[in-house]
Amino acid sequence: MITSALALLLMQVGPGTSTSDFPDLPEELRERVREQQAPPPTTTAGTSGGKLAECVTLATEDAEAASDMAQTWRETAANQLELAQSAHCLGLALVRLEDFAEAQRAFDLAADEVPDGAPAYQARLAAMAGNAAMAQDKPAIAEIAFARSIGFATQAGDGPLMASVAVDRARALVALGRNDEAVEALASARGNDPANSRAWLLSATLSRRLERLGEAREQIAQAALLAPQDPAVGLEAGVIAALAGREDEARRSFESVLQVAPQSQEAARARAYLEQLDS
């Protein structure tokens, strides 16, 4: 059993600490941008919200055209909010063009230009800047942006938003080797939004890396309750079980991944882990 568990651990995280379980590649940035790209509330956006929605849609279809639209919009912006929204759209277009450095600057500018009274919108924009920094492999800059975003979300009193950004901040902290702070950030995320399955999953992953298997097992169990069909949860549950000497439980978790997402990357890893257990 010890041999199998060690092999699983090395396959999962390598002989040293890595950040592979806290995704920070451009693909992750694109997913985060999709979650965060909604216009601010209509009470603050006014009629300009429709123009932002138009620009966001265009960015998914023709990023160059969206960039041109955003630049023209900035030249004719009627108020401070439109300036912020035009920079927001420019940032999204630059993400699609994979110019993450310029996208980060655009999102930072947008957050600065948001008028008073819309801290939740500022929080989302600052989080986008942080994710753009992560896509450039600049976690130190990202951590500052995420901390700023959490400040805005706190002003807004938006618990789920605070939790979402705290999870992002934990990714940056892990990349910086500041694991204790990452543990605190994830605990904050779970407290602000107990239904955030991603917070529980990454908490379990980090606890497992820190060899706190008891905590990891409790955290992955909660993630499984919240997201029973998530193959990443099943995969992590299997690794934690294997390292705790629960081979049958590990096998069931890995097999569940094959059932819910047979063509996924998680399924490919689950098959490899099952082979390790069988050998």
Side-chain angles (χ1 to χ4, degrees), residues 47-195:
T47 58
S48 62
K51 192 168 185 178
L52 175 58
E54 177 187 351
C55 194
V56 167
T57 299
L58 182 60
T60 66
E61 300 169 352
D62 187 339
E64 290 282 3
S67 176
D68 292 341
M69 176 183 174
Q71 296 283 9
T72 301
W73 189 6
R74 289 191 65 75
E75 295 171 3
T76 60
N79 52 49
Q80 197 69 21
L81 179 60
E82 285 199 28
L83 277 174
Q85 291 178 323
S86 64
H88 178 176
C89 182
L90 178 61
L92 294 177
L94 291 166
V95 166
R96 294 289 175 177
L97 295 170
E98 299 192 0
D99 188 345
F100 299 109
E102 288 301 319
Q104 178 195 328
R105 282 188 275 273
F107 292 137
D108 278 331
L109 177 63
D112 289 338
E113 290 178 335
V114 173
D116 293 340
Y121 186 33
Q122 287 179 293
R124 291 183 174 90
L125 291 167
M128 291 182 195
N131 276 296
M134 289 294 284
Q136 300 170 70
D137 194 23
K138 294 181 177 179
I141 293 174
E143 193 275 327
I144 294 171
F146 291 138
R148 183 186 186 209
S149 176
I150 290 171
F152 288 134
T154 301
Q155 290 179 35
D158 190 327
L161 181 56
M162 292 164 63
S164 177
V165 182
V167 169
D168 282 338
R169 181 168 177 259
R171 293 166 45 226
L173 290 167
V174 167
L176 292 168
R178 292 158 59 182
N179 288 334
D180 289 342
E181 292 176 74
V183 169
E184 293 177 4
L186 290 170
S188 173
R190 300 193 306 272
N192 282 306
D193 184 8

Side-chain angles (χ1 to χ4, degrees), residues 17-34:
T17 302
S18 73
T19 60
S20 60
D21 289 308
F22 290 77
D24 54 18
L25 298 176
E27 290 79 3
E28 166 71 4
L29 172 64
R30 294 188 188 100
E31 290 303 315
R32 298 293 295 147
V33 165
R34 288 192 190 99

